[in-house]
């Protein structure tokens, strides 16, 4: 089968013929129709991810495809990855794709919406009237977070790096949009969800009103700056962190329950993933370059 393989950190992905993956008990072989690309994949290839896989590696932990006549989506958790024509998926992480949904949408759903919904519902407890700030608002997680926050009754402020991206955030329901430079001037935020890190996360902390919380979910824009607890105590604000992959290992029941709830909402038309671009497998490097350029919107997917 064909797959995009990472042989060396910093090198391009190599699209080549590889052996079919082994399938053991508790696993199923899915014919991949679309594979989601996450920013973590780009960081792994560039050598900036703290827990890289052993090389050579097939990246991609999120796929949608066909399994025994079913249209499914799921997480690759054991061997290999989704940047391939077929992938081994753990049975406990396989879900049915909603009727009418495309494979590309299926490969864009789980990581983005779980990364938004679990912090909002289990950590920050967003409720009607909450003021929510979403950074990188036009990205995969950002577009999901706007929809989830709105569904929970929050008012959303979106931050992004261009007017085109802010326009997309407004289309999804953001009532207010700001540039990254304007975040620090805000003073009314209850919950800030930030995948950017670096100085943007520091600005999110400044934007909180008393009892507000900033949730760090990524560091696409640089390492997090140290946070002095005295500053948090003095301002009556908090910091949370969220890492979906680790939570899946420690609390799979909780994550699976949330996934089923989100899929039901998608099936009823209350949520829908935003697919920003689709690339054939042979153009996996171009897909990574688009994400690394910060010019992509929504989720970028590979179509083997």
């Amino acid at each position: 089968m064909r797959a995009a393989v990472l042989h060396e950190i910093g090198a391009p992905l190599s699209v080549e013929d590889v052996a079919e993956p082994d399938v053991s008990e508790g696993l199923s072989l899915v014919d991949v129709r679309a594979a989601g690309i996450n920013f973590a994949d780009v960081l792994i290839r560039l050598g900036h991810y703290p827990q890289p896989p052993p090389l050579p590696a097939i990246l991609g932990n999120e796929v949608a495809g066909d399994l025994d006549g079913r249209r499914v989506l799921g997480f690759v958790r054991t061997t290999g990855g989704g940047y391939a024509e077929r992938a081994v998926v753990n049975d406990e992480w396989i879900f049915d794709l909603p009727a009418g949904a495309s494979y590309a949408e299926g490969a864009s759903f789980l990581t983005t919406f779980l990364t938004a919904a679990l912090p909002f519902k289990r950590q920050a407890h967003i409720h009607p009237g909450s003021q929510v700030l979403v950074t990188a608002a036009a990205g995969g997680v950002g577009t999901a977070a706007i929809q989830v926050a709105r569904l929970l009754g929050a008012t959303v402020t979106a931050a992004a790096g261009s007017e085109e991206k802010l326009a997309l955030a407004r289309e999804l329901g953001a009532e207010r949009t700001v540039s990254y430079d304007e975040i620090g001037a805000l003073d009314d935020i209850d919950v800030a969800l930030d995948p950017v890190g670096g100085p943007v996360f520091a600005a999110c902390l400044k934007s909180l009103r008393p009892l507000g919380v900033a949730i760090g979910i990524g560091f696409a824009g640089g390492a997090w700056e140290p946070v002095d607890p005295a500053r948090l105590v003095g301002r009556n604000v908090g910091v949370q962190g969220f890492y979906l992959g680790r939570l899946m290992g420690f609390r799979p029941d909780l994550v699976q329950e949330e996934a089923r709830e989100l899929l039901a909402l998608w099936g009823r038309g209350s949520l829908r993933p935003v697919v920003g671009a689709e690339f054939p497998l042979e153009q996996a490097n171009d897909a990574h370059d688009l994400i690394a350029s910060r010019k992509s919107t929504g989720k970028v997917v590979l179509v083997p």
Side-chain angles (χ1 to χ4, degrees):
M1 70 175 188
R2 301 287 284 171
V5 183
L6 178 65
H7 288 280
E8 181 182 351
I9 294 298
L13 298 166
S14 173
V15 180
E16 58 194 58
D17 290 316
V18 300
E20 293 276 346
D22 294 327
V23 182
S24 56
E25 184 177 355
L27 305 173
S28 294
L29 187 64
V30 173
D31 289 320
V32 178
R33 305 302 182 200
I37 301 176
N38 294 308
F39 199 84
D41 299 343
V42 178
L43 293 176
I44 289 171
R45 185 174 66 83
L46 297 177
H48 302 318
Y49 197 72
Q51 296 174 318
L55 301 180
I58 300 173
L59 303 180
N61 72 337
E62 189 173 12
V63 299
D66 298 315
L67 173 62
D68 298 331
R70 296 167 57 197
R71 299 172 70 247
V72 300
L73 67 163
F75 284 118
V76 179
R77 294 283 292 169
T78 305
T79 59
Y83 293 11
E85 293 177 324
R86 284 170 291 283
V88 173
V89 181
N90 300 62
D91 290 342
E92 64 178 343
W93 295 107
I94 296 174
F95 306 92
D96 288 314
L97 189 62
S102 70
Y103 291 114
E105 289 175 322
S108 304
F109 186 78
L110 288 172
T111 296
T112 55
F113 278 90
L114 286 168
T115 301
L118 284 164
F120 281 167
K121 295 171 64 177
R122 310 278 180 162
Q123 290 179 299
H125 305 291
I126 287 176
H127 54 76
S130 294
Q131 293 282 346
V132 171
L133 170 65
V134 177
T135 67
V141 173
T143 53
I146 292 171
Q147 295 179 64
V148 172
R150 291 277 295 163
L151 197 62
L152 294 172
T155 298
V156 177
T157 297
S162 72
E163 178 53 39
E164 177 187 5
K165 293 183 177 182
L166 293 176
L168 174 58
R170 289 191 290 269
E171 289 175 14
L172 293 170
E175 286 87 353
R176 177 173 62 177
T177 55
V178 297
S179 69
Y180 289 126
D181 291 338
E182 295 172 316
I183 292 175
L186 302 175
D187 61 2
D188 61 349
I189 299 301
D190 296 304
V191 180
L193 187 75
D194 175 53
V196 181
V200 172
F201 187 74
C204 288
L205 278 174
K206 293 180 181 178
S207 76
L208 299 176
R209 58 186 173 188
L211 305 184
V213 60
I215 305 174
I217 62 172
F219 51 94
W224 294 289
E225 299 177 5
V227 177
D228 184 352
R231 181 182 171 198
L232 304 180
V233 173
R235 296 188 57 233
N236 287 287
V237 297
V239 171
Q240 292 272 9
F242 182 79
Y243 175 16
L244 178 61
R246 185 66 58 82
L247 187 63
M248 289 170 67
F250 283 114
R251 290 293 308 275
D253 55 333
L254 185 151
V255 179
Q256 290 159 9
E257 177 187 356
E258 189 63 45
R260 287 189 288 268
E261 291 180 6
L262 290 166
L263 285 164
L265 289 167
W266 184 12
R268 294 197 294 269
S270 299
L271 303 171
R272 194 170 195 101
V274 176
V275 180
E278 300 178 39
F279 288 82
L281 187 63
E282 288 72 20
Q283 294 180 19
N285 290 300
D286 294 332
H288 271 223
D289 290 345
L290 175 62
I291 295 172
S293 74
R294 306 298 204 275
K295 295 179 180 178
S296 63
T297 58
K299 191 73 170 269
V300 179
V301 300
L302 295 178
V303 183

